[in-house]
Amino acid sequence: MTKIFAYAIRKDEEPFLNEWKDANKDVEVAYTDKLLTPETAALAKGSDGVVVYQQLDYTAETLQALANVGVTKMSLRNVGIDNIDLAKAKELGFEITNVPVYSPDAIAEHAAIQAARVLRQDGLMDAKMANRDLRWAPTIGREVRDQVVGVVGTGHIGQVFMRIMEGFGAKVIAFDIFRNPELEKKGYYVDTLDDLYKQADVISLHVPDVPANVHMINDDSIKEMKDGVVIVNVSRGPLVDTDAVIRGLNSGKVFGFVMDTYEGEVGVFNEDWKGKKFPDDRLANLIDRPNVLVTPHTAFYTTHAVRNMVVKAFDNNYALVEGKPAQTPVKLDM
Ligand code: COI
């Protein structure tokens, strides 16, 4: 019987895993809540493939440990592949799949809600409510329809974000090195990132963490932006030079910041830090600011998205182990 082993299964994923099991009774599914590490790789011994998700790196050592127990078919429940040693995976003959589209709406909606909340100064208003301060001023909002919203990256998520922002009545402009012909026809694209930085009141990032994009938001790009800009990063932490944004917030150039992803998030997000000090002071600095809305990489975290991540990853892995074409293979020559 075909056997698939899943790592790091959370309680909220179990119903969807059981749903998949019920629909695929010819497959034996076993799982653990433990992450895939060199030490836990042996748990997959005897399986035909593994289903995984973790922010921890899939190091050469981890991949080797999995290969040592005969497993080289690995299906991610998420999109990001930046934490996989792809060269090692290729050398060991791995076949890998990911789930590139599980719910663009989950992420775009979060970006839109948080951007609108920053514009309305909700962080400040919430703090006032907590202090029973019911005065209006100086917490006056900016309407979304009065903003030019600049979208960097017009893939699935960027496009949903554009639609939501237009629903609010904003003027939307976009930049992408890979232009979408439909969006191009509608005239959304500006020629350069600088053009977008110069024109946009709200800038939202929807691009991957590839070397060319690392710290695209930095002192120089912030200098190009309009005074009072709102920056939104629900994509990948390394896109933003956090220190530069803090300087922008301190000077007032940056009106607010939506931060769902953070360059130092691995091992920090999705942990309980109550009563403990963060390993990085910048995080407390940002969380304590009323004009910064920090969430711990939860833009994706909806029932709709989690169901798709689990079901699509298992479908992919089943295809791999049956020697059939998987829906969304990862190219290992990157
Ligand atoms: C991804 O799918 O790569 C994400 O960024 C969401 C992740 C935290 C599950």
Side-chain angles (χ1 to χ4, degrees):
M1 196 177 190
T2 301
K3 187 170 171 194
I4 296 177
F5 190 81
Y7 282 92
I9 292 290
R10 305 181 306 267
K11 281 270 168 276
D12 54 85
E13 293 178 301
E14 275 178 346
F16 308 123
L17 181 147
N18 288 328
E19 177 191 326
W20 193 88
K21 258 168 72 170
D22 288 346
N24 295 276
K25 292 205 188 305
D26 50 336
V27 182
E28 188 186 330
V29 176
Y31 63 93
T32 175
D33 61 357
K34 294 193 172 68
L35 301 178
L36 171 62
T37 62
E39 292 72 40
T40 62
L43 294 173
K45 193 167 179 190
S47 306
D48 300 288
V50 287
V51 167
V52 291
Y53 164 66
Q54 62 196 33
Q55 285 195 297
L56 200 67
D57 288 345
Y58 301 89
T59 59
E61 207 190 347
T62 298
L63 296 173
Q64 184 68 64
L66 208 50
N68 288 349
V69 295
V71 180
T72 52
K73 296 177 185 352
M74 182 167 95
S75 295
L76 271 59
R77 305 198 286 283
N78 64 309
V79 53
I81 54 167
D82 33 306
N83 57 348
I84 305 177
D85 187 331
L86 293 175
K88 186 69 181 176
K90 189 170 176 211
E91 178 197 316
L92 294 170
F94 265 77
E95 284 178 81
I96 299 180
T97 60
N98 66 348
V99 185
V101 184
Y102 43 81
S103 178
D105 300 61
I107 297 150
E109 223 176 75
H110 185 76
I113 291 167
Q114 297 295 75
R117 293 188 66 222
V118 166
L119 289 167
R120 296 306 285 252
Q121 303 208 61
D122 275 353
L124 205 53
M125 194 54 96
D126 289 350
K128 282 166 67 173
M129 293 306 102
N131 282 327
R132 303 292 187 264
D133 176 356
L134 305 189
R135 289 171 296 177
W136 299 348
T139 323
I140 192 162
R142 287 159 59 182
E143 294 181 33
V144 179
R145 66 173 169 159
D146 293 330
Q147 316 303 313
V148 175
V149 174
V151 180
V152 183
T154 56
H156 295 280
I157 300 169
Q159 285 180 46
V160 177
F161 181 75
M162 290 167 77
R163 260 200 332 265
I164 297 174
M165 285 289 139
E166 281 192 326
F168 273 110
K171 174 178 160 59
V172 173
I173 57 173
F175 178 82
D176 200 319
I177 49 169
F178 305 107
R179 291 188 172 197
N180 173 302
E182 285 306 310
L183 299 179
E184 174 128 53
K185 258 190 255 158
K186 293 184 182 154
Y188 285 107
Y189 290 110
V190 291
D191 291 335
T192 65
L193 255 183
D194 268 5
D195 289 340
L196 184 139
Y197 292 152
K198 285 197 171 80
Q199 293 174 42
D201 302 292
V202 175
I203 295 170
S204 193
L205 308 176
H206 301 284
V207 289
D209 171 20
V210 292
N213 293 340
V214 171
H215 283 191
M216 62 192 297
I217 303 297
N218 54 40
D219 286 311
D220 292 337
S221 53
I222 291 173
K223 216 176 287 158
E224 297 295 313
M225 295 175 194
K226 287 172 89 166
D227 290 343
V229 66
V230 172
I231 300 171
V232 180
N233 184 14
V234 298
S235 289
R236 282 292 180 262
L239 304 179
V240 170
D241 176 349
T242 310
D243 293 316
V245 170
I246 290 175
R247 283 190 282 276
L249 288 160
N250 286 343
S251 73
K253 170 91 184 178
V254 178
F255 180 81
F257 180 39
V258 173
M259 188 180 94
D260 185 58
T261 54
Y262 178 53
E263 34 184 355
E265 74 179 60
V266 176
V268 177
F269 280 6
N270 204 13
E271 296 291 335
D272 185 2
W273 290 89
K274 206 176 326 108
K276 291 183 260 175
K277 193 173 167 340
F278 293 131
D280 172 356
D281 288 342
R282 295 180 307 179
L283 192 53
N285 174 324
L286 289 163
I287 290 175
D288 289 346
R289 290 174 190 255
N291 55 342
V292 175
L293 297 182
V294 176
T295 43
H297 208 139
T298 48
F300 86 99
Y301 193 47
T302 66
T303 49
H304 193 122
V306 170
R307 179 184 178 278
N308 280 345
M309 293 164 100
V310 171
V311 169
K312 288 180 181 218
F314 271 92
D315 282 347
N316 268 329
N317 203 250
Y318 191 22
L320 282 187
V321 301
E322 293 286 295
K324 298 188 183 137
Q327 283 286 323
T328 48
V330 169
K331 280 202 211 91
L332 297 184
D333 309 290
M334 307 221 18

